[in-house]
Amino acid sequence: NAGVMQNPRHLVRRRGQEARLRCSPVKGHSHVYWYRQLPEEGLKFMVYLQKENIIDESGMPKERFSAEFPKEGPSILRIQQVVRGDSAAYFCASSPLDRAAGELFFGEGSRLTVL
Amino acid sequence: QKEVEQDPGPLSVPEGAIVSLNCTYSNSAFQYFMWYRQYSRKGPELLMYTYSSGNKEDGRFTAQVDKSSKYISLFIRDSQPSDSATYLCAFYTGTASKLTFGTGTRLQVML
């Protein structure tokens, strides 16, 4: 019974390149969340998606960042024209519709390094 | 004032000690209180989940919530080296989409 799968686990990009992070939720989970963790900081909410819908993107930077959760396939977090400040661990989490609020299942994260 | 305050540690204790981890919060809308454990280079995993003020016990772990003081605690009895991890408090209003996390307290249990 696979948990949340994220890939790549590690990604190195040069400034100006694009980063694509993928997340497959726990089978049967229809809610996906992306969080960012900077060194010495807590997890910060970025976006909440359901299949084919962005429900809440209040934590997403206004530019260069986008997310999707298509009908088929994994959720994608896309960062265009990366800058050094984007270096962080990006965690995806999922939850089933019928679980109590706040019970999230996290993946192991994708660690982005921008050179 | 930050919405959540959590001492980052590190906290080093000998094996078998009782550990107390704490968070304070300022948002009265928080209704659900959680503790997540995060091992190095891994994702957080839910450890304890409470809704009301008072204590909730699960094995060696006890979560305590004091809504009047806006203060939550996690106690670990008979701590083990395998408890060495970062412990994150987390809060949820019940209506918003997101959890609000503390910065985490790094715990090291020494042999």
Side-chain angles (χ1 to χ4, degrees):
Chain A
N1 204 9
V4 175
M5 304 299 292
Q6 289 189 249
N7 68 84
R9 293 291 312 279
H10 300 276
L11 183 64
V12 178
R13 285 288 179 265
R14 297 191 180 279
R15 281 177 294 172
Q17 293 184 319
E18 179 179 286
R20 281 190 182 226
L21 310 177
R22 288 175 290 279
C23 168
S24 295
V26 173
K27 188 176 180 181
H29 286 193
S30 55
H31 303 252
V32 166
Y33 305 78
W34 286 92
Y35 282 77
R36 177 165 62 175
Q37 189 174 41
L38 292 164
E40 309 305 321
E41 292 189 23
L43 288 155
K44 302 293 185 189
F45 168 80
M46 298 182 76
V47 62
Y48 163 42
L49 310 107
Q50 294 179 18
K51 285 282 187 183
E52 299 184 279
N53 283 305
I54 298 174
I55 307 302
D56 181 354
E57 56 181 347
S58 59
M60 289 274 272
K62 296 297 179 205
E63 297 176 351
R64 302 187 297 107
F65 285 72
S66 62
E68 63 177 8
F69 188 17
K71 188 176 178 181
E72 302 290 338
S75 175
I76 306 284
L77 179 67
R78 182 183 179 204
I79 312 171
Q80 294 178 287
Q81 299 175 326
V82 296
V83 300
R84 288 217 173 111
D86 296 332
S87 295
Y90 292 84
F91 289 94
C92 173
S94 71
S95 71
L97 188 60
D98 61 345
R99 277 289 177 91
E103 293 189 59
L104 299 182
F105 296 79
F106 281 87
E108 296 204 332
S110 291
R111 283 160 180 80
L112 172 65
T113 302
V114 180
L115 301 177
Chain B
Q1 184 187 7
K2 279 187 177 180
E3 207 169 19
V4 176
E5 299 271 6
Q6 183 176 14
D7 188 334
L11 180 62
S12 292
V13 300
E15 184 178 6
I18 296 174
V19 175
S20 172
L21 304 166
N22 312 293
C23 287
T24 58
Y25 64 97
S26 59
N27 189 345
S28 299
F30 289 148
Q31 297 297 323
Y32 299 83
F33 309 92
M34 288 143 282
W35 286 94
Y36 280 79
R37 178 175 61 194
Q38 185 176 21
Y39 290 112
S40 181
R41 315 300 278 179
K42 299 291 186 182
E45 57 179 331
L46 183 64
L47 199 58
M48 296 286 285
Y49 179 102
T50 59
Y51 173 73
S52 56
S53 281
N55 292 354
K56 181 178 180 180
E57 192 173 315
D58 184 1
R60 296 185 296 111
F61 298 89
T62 299
Q64 188 176 81
V65 173
D66 183 347
K67 285 188 179 180
S68 62
S69 301
K70 294 190 176 64
Y71 188 88
I72 70 170
S73 299
L74 178 70
F75 299 96
I76 307 174
R77 289 186 301 281
D78 187 25
S79 55
Q80 304 294 311
S82 59
D83 295 327
S84 298
T86 296
Y87 291 80
L88 302 156
C89 55
F91 302 83
Y92 181 60
T93 63
T95 54
S97 305
K98 65 176 186 177
L99 299 187
T100 300
F101 283 87
T103 53
T105 299
R106 190 155 61 91
L107 170 67
Q108 187 162 10
V109 181
M110 316 293 284
L111 279 168

